[in-house]
Structures are given as structure tokens and as C-alpha cells.
Amino acid sequence: MREKIQNPLIYPSLSADMGAKAFIRTMSNIENIKLLKARYCRFLDQQMWDDFVELFTPGCMFAVEVKDPAQWSIFRKEGSNPEPISRDLWIAMVSRTMADGGMSAHHVHSPEISFVDDSNAIGFWALEDHLLTPAMKFHGWGRYEHRLIRIGSAWKIAAWRLRWMHIEAI
């Protein structure tokens, strides 16, 4: 996912001149997207992989960036940020990392959700996470960036980027 997820301020979600029905529809969509992200954190932290995979489109690509590439040493990687990977590969890697007693806690807040149109949205969330596994232990701060699409009545994550501003080994 090399695409740049656009700043949500380009696509304002709410305006003073929108009608009551449009306002209610927009607020309902915002709440449904917030529930999607809440489920993301719960399913990930409780290692509910069958439910977790359903939150994403099949073609979703995952990208992770670290502000300071030297911090990749926590993951036993060197150099620059890795290339984006597919949904299935990313979930397989995460589930293997969490096997054998791994634990995580993801806290997201301050959502910024804006709509490109009725079926496409952009979301940004502040993040704090902890990961404790036999292979690594860290505490991170950053932001999630998502491109979201509505399929039928359900919102799904179509592109996913995590930008860690800081990671520290614990």
C-alpha cells in the first residue's frame, strides 16, 4: 500500500447545511466505523482470528512504518520499513507471533473519520499498544490510517497502515 491516505479534512463529513437525514446517515456510518475499529482491537487482543479476518476486504494490504528505522531492532529487522503485505500473510504472521502465550493490548482513540462518498471513507486513530510474546516485548505509540469501504451494510478495512512514532522495548 504505497498509496497516500488523504487527509480527512479534504473531505469534510459534516457540514452546517446538510439536512437531518444526511446528518443521521453520516453519524450512523461514523458509529459503525468506530465499532469496526473497536472489534479490530478486541478480536486482535483476544486472538479471535476467524472473526478478525472478516473485518478486512480480501485485497487489503498492510503497511507498517516506524519513525526511527533503528527501532526495527525490536523485531530483529534492520534498515528501512518493510514492504506492504497481504491480509492473509499479515494475519498469519500476527497469529504466529501471538501463539504460545503471547498477549497484546491495543488502545485507539480520537478517531477522525471522513467520507469520500457513500461507500468510501478514510479513518485515522491515535494508538497505544503493548505486545508481550516469548520473542519480543514492547510498548508503542502511533497512528492507524485506514481506507474503508462499505460492502452491503457492513464497513470493512480496505487498506491499513500503522505509523509508530515511538517503540520501546520492555
Side-chain angles (χ1 to χ4, degrees):
M1 182 180 78
R2 287 280 182 223
E3 69 185 89
K4 181 176 183 202
I5 297 176
Q6 297 295 318
N7 184 322
L9 298 178
I10 295 171
Y11 307 108
S13 295
L14 302 172
S15 66
D17 62 345
M18 74 175 14
K21 286 183 181 180
F23 178 82
I24 291 168
R25 184 175 54 249
T26 299
M27 292 306 295
S28 177
N29 283 323
I30 287 172
E31 286 303 310
N32 284 322
I33 290 170
K34 288 163 67 175
L35 285 171
L36 169 71
K37 192 62 181 177
R39 289 180 183 117
Y40 169 96
C41 293
R42 180 168 59 94
F43 295 164
L44 176 58
D45 292 342
Q46 293 182 349
Q47 302 179 35
M48 299 169 65
W49 306 122
D50 291 340
D51 294 319
F52 189 64
V53 72
E54 295 301 318
L55 302 176
F56 308 95
T57 63
C60 184
M61 295 296 287
F62 290 78
V64 178
E65 297 177 8
V66 174
K67 187 173 183 179
D68 178 1
Q71 291 185 328
W72 278 115
S73 63
I74 291 171
F75 305 100
R76 297 188 178 102
K77 295 182 181 182
E78 300 298 329
S80 64
N81 295 304
E83 292 297 315
I85 61 174
S86 72
R87 173 193 75 173
D88 295 337
L89 180 57
W90 186 79
I91 293 173
M93 287 174 30
V94 171
S95 64
R96 275 195 309 271
T97 299
M98 300 299 290
D100 299 323
M103 297 183 298
S104 66
H106 289 77
H107 303 279
V108 297
H109 53 89
S110 305
E112 297 175 63
I113 300 166
S114 292
F115 297 91
V116 177
D117 58 35
D118 289 341
S119 297
N120 291 278
I122 306 298
F124 293 82
W125 286 264
L127 162 73
E128 181 178 2
D129 60 353
H130 289 82
L131 181 65
L132 304 171
T133 73
M136 67 181 96
K137 296 172 178 32
F138 72 83
H139 181 198
W141 299 267
R143 295 199 70 72
Y144 280 118
E145 301 174 4
H146 298 324
R147 186 169 46 81
L148 305 128
I149 64 169
R150 186 171 50 206
I151 300 172
S153 62
W155 285 94
K156 304 269 185 176
I157 300 169
W160 179 102
R161 181 185 309 275
L162 167 56
R163 293 179 188 260
W164 270 308
M165 299 308 294
H166 182 74
I167 303 172
E168 62 184 41
I170 54 176

